[in-house]
Amino acid sequence: MKSKINTMKLTALGMLLFVFYPCRAQDVRGENTQWHGFDRYDYVISETTLQIKPVKATPQEGNGVKAPEKGTRRCIVVVPKQAADGKPWSWRGCYWDHAPQAEIELLKRGFHIAYITTDPDETWDVWYHFLVGEYGLSPKPAFIGMSRGGANAYTWGTNHPDKVSAICADNPGLSQKSLMSMHLLAQNDVPILNICGSIDPILHNTYAVQGVYHANEGRMSVLIKDGTAHHPHSLNNPDIIAGFIEQSFNEKQSEQPIFLPERYVKKHFYLTKAGYEYAESEKVWISRWGPYFTGSYDKYTFSLEGVEGSVTVYAPKQAAAGNPWVFRCDRPDGNSAVDGELLAAGFHIVVAPVPYNADGPILRHWDVVYNYLTGKGFAPKPVLAGRGAATGEMYVWAIENPDKVSCIYGENPILRASTAKVQPIDNLKPLASAKVPLIHVCGSLDPNLKTQTGEVKKRYPAGKMTVVIDHGRGHYPTEPNDPHKIANLILQTIK
């Protein structure tokens, strides 16, 4: 019943706006004041009638805002000198004028800035529709939320995941309901940036969001200020925040690759390894990771007729000449630095299907994938790659198809395959006859080094196998100490 009443209220409000505010945005602005050199317009929303009335901020409020009278909400719009294309805007839902440097920078970039007093309820929806309908602002605002404001951003955002362009949360609060709904933002491809102090008592909120967001393949970036607590908020140099919000709003849909079938799912892939550097503007060391700092790549998952299991293709920004690609059966993750290097070099990364109803891969299904992709212009000789025992599965396909392999790359490889009649370590002759180059990167403490890579090296022709040993590393982490060096080695091997 309450939902029906709320809908009636919103409908009534729309009629009231049409009656009283039928003209352009400037007709509903009322008298302006100044906010850090920009025109500011203030409003009051009745919590009972949901009517919006323009008011003028008092001189005593200055750049701030006084608490609203009981039963009302205070609202603010600040207008840029020249609105950017699409009329983007940033929304703050708590602590107006506290550490406003990011909003001031966004105003300079053509963003409108909006505010409404806490916490999200139907008045927020009314305010949103007013700004979109009467001011003509973009239907997808960005959020800057500090502490409780971060919680508010996540609350409204998860309730309206299709109406958000980005969220920047600063040492944010978080409700259990928002955390459990975070997958909705990921499904709508909403980029998130969290900025936190390393000793903030609610830092765990950011890690909780990150866990859910990564699990749902959403794009989340994190910046940690080493040694800072819940305050100070924001950054002295707001370029990172403003740049993140501006970039998120201006993102353009990438063209659909020609290798895709009619039905597919698009996600993103990015590395999560943290960088650590001194931020002169903040006078602190910062750690930062995620797609805003490292870049991201489109990831496509689809099915092929006659193939059990899905195919996943990670696409480079620009394919290299000849359309080189990597064929593997284990999925890259945020630590797959060599895959990141190869994507940057123009390789596609292809994850072969593994069925639900078998003990391992079905090689004839991999043949279908290979034929499909080479028929779409992929190179006839991919790099085969894997980590641990997944490398063994790729060895089996390579042994069956030695003329279709440019090289094999393994990280701490184990040459065991679940469905092979003869284990690949005992069946290397077809690869040796075809002179397929092998590259193994191993930790010196990996327990499989001697029995696997050491044994292959004894059996393989001299000059056709390269072994790189990372001293002091065990089986994990599997990624090499110098991924750039290894990626270059692969590139040189296949030329």
Side-chain angles (χ1 to χ4, degrees):
M1 184 67 179
K2 183 179 179 181
S3 176
K4 189 173 182 180
I5 293 172
N6 289 346
T7 302
M8 293 172 63
K9 283 185 177 180
L10 287 170
T11 303
L13 174 68
M15 294 174 65
L16 285 168
L17 289 175
F18 181 77
V19 172
F20 294 111
Y21 305 123
C23 301
R24 296 183 302 276
Q26 56 262 39
D27 298 323
V28 302
R29 287 178 178 175
E31 192 173 353
N32 73 291
T33 56
Q34 290 292 295
W35 188 77
H36 299 284
F38 294 88
D39 289 345
R40 162 181 167 169
Y41 298 87
D42 284 65
Y43 298 86
V44 170
I45 296 180
S46 167
E47 292 178 341
T48 53
T49 67
L50 300 180
Q51 287 185 284
I52 300 177
K53 181 177 71 173
V55 296
K56 183 179 180 181
T58 63
Q60 292 76 18
E61 290 177 279
N63 288 322
V65 63
K66 68 179 182 181
E69 295 180 6
K70 186 176 180 180
T72 68
R73 297 291 185 103
R74 279 292 297 272
C75 308
I76 299 170
V77 183
V78 183
V79 179
K81 306 294 185 184
Q82 178 65 48
D85 290 343
K87 297 188 100 173
W89 55 296
S90 178
W91 188 345
R92 187 186 284 214
C94 200
Y95 309 124
W96 175 250
D97 199 49
H98 179 71
Q101 50 266 35
E103 282 94 345
I104 294 171
E105 177 60 29
L106 285 169
L107 282 162
K108 295 175 182 177
R109 300 185 185 200
F111 277 65
H112 285 69
I113 304 299
Y115 168 78
I116 183 172
T117 43
T118 55
D119 288 321
D121 63 3
E122 60 189 339
T123 60
W124 281 48
D125 298 340
V126 170
W127 182 232
Y128 166 85
H129 287 291
F130 177 78
L131 293 174
V132 173
E134 297 302 317
Y135 270 81
L137 302 188
S138 166
K140 287 192 173 187
F143 278 87
I144 295 178
M146 300 173 182
S147 190
R148 183 176 175 181
N152 288 342
Y154 281 134
T155 295
W156 198 88
T158 52
N159 286 335
H160 306 84
D162 59 332
K163 295 180 173 66
V164 183
S165 65
I167 294 176
C168 177
D170 188 316
N171 284 328
L174 181 68
S175 71
Q176 187 71 15
K177 183 176 182 295
S178 293
L179 181 61
M180 293 299 100
S181 302
M182 206 63 64
H183 66 285
L184 300 174
L185 290 171
Q187 289 170 5
N188 281 271
D189 196 19
V190 177
I192 291 175
L193 170 63
N194 272 25
I195 298 174
C196 306
S198 68
I199 59 173
D200 174 41
I202 57 173
L203 176 60
H204 59 275
N205 288 339
T206 286
Y207 291 134
V209 172
Q210 177 179 267
V212 174
Y213 224 61
H214 284 181
N216 286 277
E217 299 184 288
R219 288 184 290 166
M220 181 172 180
S221 303
V222 178
L223 186 151
I224 302 292
K225 297 180 285 186
D226 201 357
T228 66
H230 195 65
H231 291 273
H233 286 297
S234 194
L235 298 170
N236 296 325
N237 182 346
D239 284 348
I240 286 178
I241 300 172
F244 165 75
I245 289 174
E246 184 178 40
Q247 175 181 293
S248 300
F249 179 79
N250 289 329
E251 276 186 336
K252 291 182 172 56
Q253 191 75 15
S254 56
E255 292 185 13
Q256 180 176 325
I258 61 171
F259 63 79
L260 287 176
E262 184 177 343
R263 299 180 64 183
Y264 62 90
V265 174
K266 179 183 175 184
K267 297 285 187 179
H268 300 275
F269 169 75
Y270 54 91
L271 301 178
T272 56
K273 185 175 181 179
Y276 189 63
E277 61 191 83
Y278 186 73
E280 183 64 39
S281 61
E282 314 307 312
K283 304 301 180 188
V284 296
W285 286 84
I286 61 171
S287 299
R288 58 186 192 175
W289 61 88
Y292 181 61
F293 304 114
T294 64
S296 66
Y297 297 92
D298 292 337
K299 170 185 172 184
Y300 302 95
T301 301
F302 54 89
S303 298
L304 293 176
E305 187 176 353
V307 173
E308 188 175 346
S310 60
V311 182
T312 301
V313 180
Y314 301 73
K317 301 295 185 185
Q318 179 67 46
N323 256 344
W325 56 297
V326 177
F327 202 17
R328 58 187 306 148
C329 73
D330 57 331
R331 294 180 180 273
D333 57 31
N335 296 314
S336 299
V338 173
D339 292 278
E341 293 279 351
L342 292 174
L343 280 164
F347 280 65
H348 287 77
I349 309 294
V350 179
V351 180
V354 177
Y356 294 104
N357 301 309
D359 292 337
I362 300 173
L363 295 190
R364 68 178 183 277
H365 291 179
W366 287 11
D367 295 339
V368 173
V369 175
Y370 171 87
N371 291 330
Y372 174 82
L373 291 174
T374 54
K376 297 290 186 179
F378 280 44
K381 288 190 174 186
V383 174
L384 269 60
R387 294 170 293 190
T391 316
E393 304 290 356
M394 301 313 300
Y395 260 89
V396 173
W397 191 85
I399 289 165
E400 294 290 326
N401 303 276
D403 59 325
K404 297 175 181 175
V405 181
S406 64
C407 75
I408 301 176
Y409 167 63
E411 295 176 353
N412 283 335
I414 301 173
L415 271 66
R416 177 189 61 79
S418 55
T419 57
K421 294 179 180 178
V422 180
Q423 291 302 313
I425 200 167
D426 299 317
N427 194 19
L428 297 172
K429 186 175 179 180
L431 298 176
S433 298
K435 299 180 179 179
V436 175
L438 308 182
I439 303 172
H440 286 194
V441 180
C442 308
S444 64
L445 304 180
D446 177 35
N448 303 295
L449 175 59
K450 182 178 179 180
T451 62
Q452 300 297 306
T453 294
E455 195 62 32
V456 174
K457 192 171 183 180
K458 290 180 187 176
R459 304 180 187 188
Y460 215 67
K464 279 299 175 182
M465 183 175 185
T466 302
V467 179
V468 177
I469 302 295
D470 286 340
H471 294 282
R473 182 167 63 85
H475 190 74
Y476 293 107
T478 57
E479 66 270 12
N481 291 343
D482 190 345
H484 184 69
K485 171 186 172 181
I486 301 306
N488 282 338
L489 184 58
I490 294 172
L491 289 169
Q492 292 165 13
T493 302
I494 67 175
K495 284 182 180 177

